[in-house]
Each structure stands twice: as structure tokens, then as C-alpha cells.
Amino acid sequence: MLRLLSIRDFVVVSSLELDLDAGFTVLTGETGAGKSILLDALGLLLGDRFEPRQIRPGAARAELAAVFDIADAPSLRAWLGEEGLAESDGEVLLRRVLEPQGRSRAWINGSPATLAQLKDLGERLVEITGQHAHQSLSTAQTQRELLDSFGGFTALAGEAALAWRAWRDAVAKRDAARVDASRSTAEREFLATRRDELAALRLREGEWADLAAAQTRLSNVAALVEACEAAEQALESSDDSLTRRLAQLSTRLRSAAAHDSALAEIASLVEPAQAQLAEAARALRDYRRRLDVEPEDLAGIEDRLSALHDIARKHRVRPEALPGLLASTEAALAELAAASDVDALERRAAEAEREVLKLGRELRAKRQFAAAELSHRVTTAMRTLAMAGGRLEVALEALPAPAAHGLDTVEFRIATHAKQALGPLSRVASGGELSRIGLAIQVASGDAAQVPTLVLDEVDAGIGGAVAATVGRLLQSLGARRQVLCVTHLPQVASFADRHFRVEKRDAPSGVESDVIALDGDRRIDELARMLSGEATTPKTRAHARELYDTHRRQR
């Protein structure tokens, strides 16, 4: 529900804040006073495109804002969450700044927003019916959703949409499997051959590095043996070996220590070195014995390295990557086996299609019944609104294939008089007629409407007298269930309102400005009298205005 509309430097409005409430509210004023400016401002906040000329002359920019109460609208709060726009204490604040260069910036609850987001949210907040404003009732989606809501099967329509998406997903997977069948067979054969080749090698993780190290060692046995013998000779075997020389040195130091105990500590440092050299000599002898290998050992290692190198080159990987290639090949084969089960995918797609058709037929039956009832109600309402012979038909047309919204299209077709052929709502009605048709639909659909605020412009075009009173009565009734804001020139309509605002033009130092004044009591009677007389009011017109007000106002 719209709580506040704030306008700064827009067209001829310098500064304006309009506080609104639930129920039926009217805006009146002389022609050219600026009533349409308020609706234009609201339209811009709901995503309309603006023109630089709409900025008040001399102003640096125009600023528009609106506050909506969404405490009782969980779907709107859910939308804000989906868009990442924080909710603010059950309210939503729309703000838009218009600049002379033709640019604009917008915010929703303080977060930057796109025009698409404003429009999407606006269609959930406000329904504006008028010649120069939003007319979402003309869109196929709105008509379909209104019919589903009127019939009480919105949940079923949601189930049908989910089933359709599941069906399309199953069909896409089935078709992909069919198209890829030949490719998958060839790929599977290639992968199986590669797996068999790699598995036959009995690969071991790290084997290539181990074999390469062994080959290097065995290929240099002669050099290694020579190095070992030379080192062992120097350490222990020769007459002048290091171990013998250290033993002699240790003996001399121990003898000398008898004369000076300080040398005993030095001698103890030499003795461990002697033991370590002896241990090194034994290790060299053991290593030398292990180097005594047969020539076929080296040949076996080189054959294994050659086999690994050849298959690695064949599959364009490094030899050390062969174990990983085997693992990835086996995983790819398993994935292909699961994806190529065309029979299973066929069954799944067929089951999904049966569910889509089942829900679609159920939805069609319900829509046919609801369409007949809604058509009758709207037609009845139209004929009370100066459209004798007018009628509405909610037409269902079968689709060649199931769609997300069911098996049929939904279209509101209108004739505004008896001799006129039925045609699409968006193309048949004039501006004033469309306003009254919108009113008839809104009244007929009653609580089914999803949008909490209804704004009507030119609803009184071409009517008067008893029909005007009927319009006022219908709007008052509708205001008991939804917030209704109506621009009107008819006192009969205005007298039914719960709240009444007058739009006035006045001269100001900066030029002509418009303002909005809340009317109550005698001031409201004066405005009704002005609307009745068109010129200077008289006691008679004022008495008539009082009678209208007393007769039609909502009793509380």
C-alpha cells in the first residue's frame, strides 16, 4: 500500500509530500492544475522513462520518492530477498533522481537499482489504469495470472510450471544422448583401448622415477666400483690408511697425556673419528658387494623404461603421468556409461511429459470454468459503466505444445458496444474506456487481484449522472479491499471517497507551481460544489454538494 509520495522540482511542483492511507482516495482540481503530474511521478518511480523537460525549469535535478507498506505482502518481501534488497521494517522505499542530461539514478531501500528492477517491483505494488500510464492488465501474463488467481488455482499453475521445466530438462538430456550416441560409442571404444593398454602395464605410482634412478646407477657400475675401492683403500686397506694413521695418533696422544692430563680430553676427540672412519669403510664394502649385478638386470630396467616411454609418447603425456591417465580414463568410461543410457533417459522424459499433460489438462478444465464466470461478471460490470452491449470474453486457445504456463494461451477480448467485434483488450478500447474496463475487471475479480494499490485515471471519461454514481459506488466497494487512488472530474465519484485531495495551481516568484491540499469538512463540500457548478458556487449547488457527500460517504 502506498503511504507517501514525495516530489521535488518535477514539472511545476517545487516541493510536495502526499500522505496516503488505505481505502478510496480521490484527486480533483481544475483542468491543467497538475493532477497528471502526480501519476507521472509515480510512473517514473515504477520504472517509466523520463524526459529532461520534466525537470522543473531552473532546477539542478528532480527527486522523487515513495514509501510502500508491505507488512502484509510476503511475496513482495520474498522478491526483495531474491534481488538482494534489504527490507526495512515492513516498508519499501523507492527513490529516483532525474538529471537534466537525461540520466537518472534509482534506489530501492537505499540500494542502487536498475529501471528493470523498479519496473518489476512496481508491477507488484501498483496497478495504474489510464491512457498514459501502466496498463499491465493488457499483458498476457497479467491476464493469465488474474484468471488463475480468480479461480483459486495459482498453486496448481505453479506446479504445472515446475513440471514443464522438469520435462524440458529431461527432453534436453535425452536429445543430447541421442545426438551423441555415435560419438559416445567411438569415444568409449577409444577410452576402453587406452585403459586396457595402461592396465596391462601394471603401473605403479612413482615407478618411472625409481626406474630412472636404477638405470643411472646400473649404467655407471664400473665407475662406482672404482670409486668404492679407492675410498676403501684410503680409509682402511692400505698401509697408510686413515684409520691406521688415526690409531697411531690416538696412541701417541694417550702416552703424552700421562705427562699432562689436558691431552686426554683432546685424545678423546680423535677416537670417535677413528670409529666413524672404520664404519664408513664397512659400509663401502657392503655397497660394493651390492654392485655385483648381472647384465640382464640393466637390460630389464631399460626395457621397462622403453615400454613406459613409448606408451606415454603415444598418449602425449609424460611417463610419470601414466598412473593418473589410467585413473582419469576409468572415470571417463564410467561417466559415459551413465550418460549414454538412452533407454533410461527416454523413460524419464516420457514420465515427465505425462505429468505435464496431466497437470495441463487439470489446469485447462479449471481455467475454462473460471473464464466463463469471470467473463460474465466483467460483462455485467461493464454494462453498468455506460458500455451498453459491451462484453468481455476470456478466451483460451490450445497451444501446439505444452508451455510453462500450461496447454493454452489466455487472452481477454473486449467489445465496448453491441456492434463491435471482440478484440484484444490492449487494442480495442480507448483511454477512457480502458479505464472503465479495468475498473470492471478489478471489481469483478475482487480479492483475487495480487497488486495492493490501484490507481485510476480518466475513469470518468464520457460518463455522468447515474453511471458516475455507479462508478463511485464500485470504487468505494473496491476500496474496502484494496487501496484505490482515483483522478476524477465528477463530484458523484468524489463524494464516495474516504479521502479527498485538491490539486491547485498558484503563481510563485519562480513561476507557476502546483500544490496538493487535503480537504475535509466544509472545504470538501466547497470542492464538490465547485465541481458541480463549474463556475461560481451558489447556496443551491453547495446544498447539492452537501447532499451528495452525506448520501455517498462511507458510514463508519
Side-chain angles (χ1 to χ4, degrees):
M1 179 175 64
L2 180 61
R3 286 289 188 187
L4 173 70
L5 179 63
S6 175
I7 302 174
R8 296 284 185 278
D9 294 322
F10 182 68
V11 192
V12 294
V13 176
S14 172
S15 176
L16 170 69
E17 287 195 356
L18 185 63
D19 291 302
L20 297 165
D21 207 338
F24 174 32
T25 300
V26 293
L27 287 168
T28 64
E30 296 179 355
T31 301
K35 299 183 293 299
S36 63
I37 293 173
L38 302 180
L39 301 190
D40 290 343
L42 185 57
L44 287 169
L45 284 166
L46 302 180
D48 281 355
R49 296 192 177 278
F50 93 100
E51 299 177 10
R53 62 181 179 80
Q54 291 177 300
I55 298 175
R56 187 166 171 266
R61 63 179 182 271
E63 297 186 19
L64 310 173
V67 177
F68 290 86
D69 184 345
I70 60 169
D72 297 327
S75 62
L76 286 170
R77 297 199 299 274
W79 183 91
L80 290 172
E82 292 169 1
E83 295 293 320
L85 301 167
E87 181 187 340
S88 178
D89 298 326
E91 292 184 339
V92 60
L93 168 63
L94 306 183
R95 181 168 173 259
R96 191 170 177 188
V97 174
L98 316 175
E99 299 178 350
Q101 298 81 5
R103 297 190 302 267
S104 73
R105 291 170 291 153
W107 295 264
I108 298 176
N109 283 344
S111 298
T114 64
L115 288 186
Q117 286 177 313
L118 281 184
K119 189 173 184 62
D120 192 6
L121 178 58
E123 289 175 352
R124 302 164 189 267
L125 289 169
V126 179
E127 168 70 32
I128 301 181
T129 301
Q131 190 173 6
H132 306 294
H134 291 280
Q135 302 184 37
S136 65
L137 276 174
S138 298
T139 67
Q141 179 180 345
T142 300
Q143 293 173 10
R144 185 177 60 250
E145 290 176 351
L146 194 149
L147 176 64
D148 291 347
S149 181
F150 173 77
F153 38 82
T154 299
L156 176 62
E159 290 178 29
L162 290 175
W164 181 84
R165 284 192 285 272
W167 172 56
R168 295 309 305 161
D169 182 61
V171 167
K173 290 180 179 177
R174 179 202 65 192
D175 292 346
R178 287 175 175 174
V179 170
D180 293 344
S182 59
R183 183 188 65 81
S184 296
T185 299
E187 185 177 358
R188 186 162 50 249
E189 291 175 354
F190 166 74
L191 290 172
T193 300
R194 186 168 73 184
R195 177 202 56 197
D196 294 343
E197 287 179 344
L198 295 173
L201 289 173
R202 299 183 181 279
L203 297 164
R204 176 174 57 81
E205 192 70 42
E207 181 181 10
W208 174 264
D210 294 342
L211 289 171
Q215 183 200 36
T216 299
R217 177 170 53 83
L218 295 178
S219 298
N220 293 276
V221 166
L224 292 172
V225 168
E226 183 181 350
C228 288
E229 290 177 346
E232 199 271 334
Q233 286 280 336
L235 287 173
E236 196 171 59
S237 299
S238 67
D239 293 338
D240 193 30
S241 67
L242 292 175
T243 53
R244 289 184 182 185
R245 291 170 64 186
L246 276 176
Q248 293 170 358
L249 175 60
S250 178
T251 300
R252 293 186 64 181
L253 287 173
R254 287 294 179 187
S255 298
H259 306 293
D260 187 350
S261 59
L263 289 174
E265 183 177 351
I266 296 173
S268 66
L269 294 175
V270 174
E271 290 170 355
Q274 181 183 357
Q276 288 177 350
L277 289 175
E279 181 65 28
R282 285 191 296 273
L284 281 169
R285 287 193 293 272
D286 290 341
Y287 178 75
R288 169 68 184 80
R289 284 192 294 272
R290 292 197 300 274
L291 288 177
D292 293 334
V293 295
E294 298 297 330
E296 56 265 25
D297 292 342
L298 177 59
I301 290 174
E302 289 181 339
D303 288 345
R304 179 67 170 172
L305 285 170
S306 178
L308 295 179
H309 183 269
D310 288 345
I311 199 168
R313 183 173 57 187
K314 176 181 178 180
H315 296 296
R316 298 180 181 181
V317 296
R318 297 178 64 83
E320 56 266 33
L322 287 173
L325 179 61
L326 174 59
S328 64
T329 301
E330 291 173 337
L333 277 170
E335 185 177 348
L336 272 178
S340 62
D341 191 350
V342 177
D343 291 339
L345 294 173
E346 289 273 12
R347 290 192 298 272
R348 193 174 305 159
E351 290 171 2
E353 183 178 16
R354 284 194 292 272
E355 181 66 11
V356 166
L357 293 174
K358 171 181 169 292
L359 292 173
R361 293 186 187 106
E362 184 179 351
L363 192 58
R364 170 183 286 168
K366 291 181 177 295
R367 280 174 173 167
Q368 287 172 339
F369 179 81
E373 180 63 21
L374 183 60
S375 298
H376 170 72
R377 291 192 186 185
V378 174
T379 297
T380 300
M382 286 173 63
R383 290 175 179 176
T384 66
L385 295 173
M387 284 185 278
R391 63 197 185 281
L392 174 135
E393 177 187 287
V394 181
L396 302 181
E397 295 286 345
L399 289 165
H405 53 264
L407 305 180
D408 311 276
T409 61
V410 176
E411 184 178 58
F412 285 14
R413 297 173 182 171
I414 289 289
T416 58
H417 54 80
K419 294 183 179 181
Q420 185 182 38
L422 288 166
L425 174 64
S426 59
R427 295 201 299 268
V428 169
S430 66
E433 288 171 334
L434 185 58
S435 294
R436 281 177 281 147
I437 292 168
L439 173 61
I441 292 173
Q442 297 295 342
V443 171
S445 60
D447 294 328
Q450 300 296 306
V451 181
T453 297
L454 174 64
V455 177
L456 297 162
D457 190 18
E458 298 187 14
V459 72
D460 52 6
I463 64 173
V467 174
T470 300
V471 170
R473 189 174 295 106
L474 289 174
L475 292 175
Q476 186 184 69
S477 173
L478 193 59
R481 302 186 298 277
R482 301 172 65 190
Q483 184 186 40
V484 178
L485 180 61
C486 177
V487 174
T488 183
H489 294 282
L490 295 177
Q492 295 94 329
V493 173
S495 63
F496 282 92
D498 299 307
R499 274 158 301 283
H500 191 153
F501 292 94
R502 173 180 167 83
V503 181
E504 294 183 349
K505 254 184 185 178
R506 57 184 174 82
D507 292 328
S510 58
V512 176
E513 292 185 1
S514 288
D515 203 357
V516 178
I517 300 171
L519 303 179
D520 203 0
D522 289 341
R523 297 180 71 181
R524 184 167 178 182
I525 301 301
D526 291 341
E527 175 63 6
L528 291 175
R530 181 200 64 78
M531 296 170 72
L532 282 167
S533 67
E535 296 180 358
T537 60
T538 66
K540 189 174 182 178
T541 56
R542 202 171 186 285
H544 187 189
R546 169 69 70 178
E547 182 181 4
L548 276 178
Y549 177 67
D550 290 341
T551 302
H552 296 156
R553 63 178 176 150
R554 193 190 304 272
Q555 301 300 317
R556 299 184 183 279

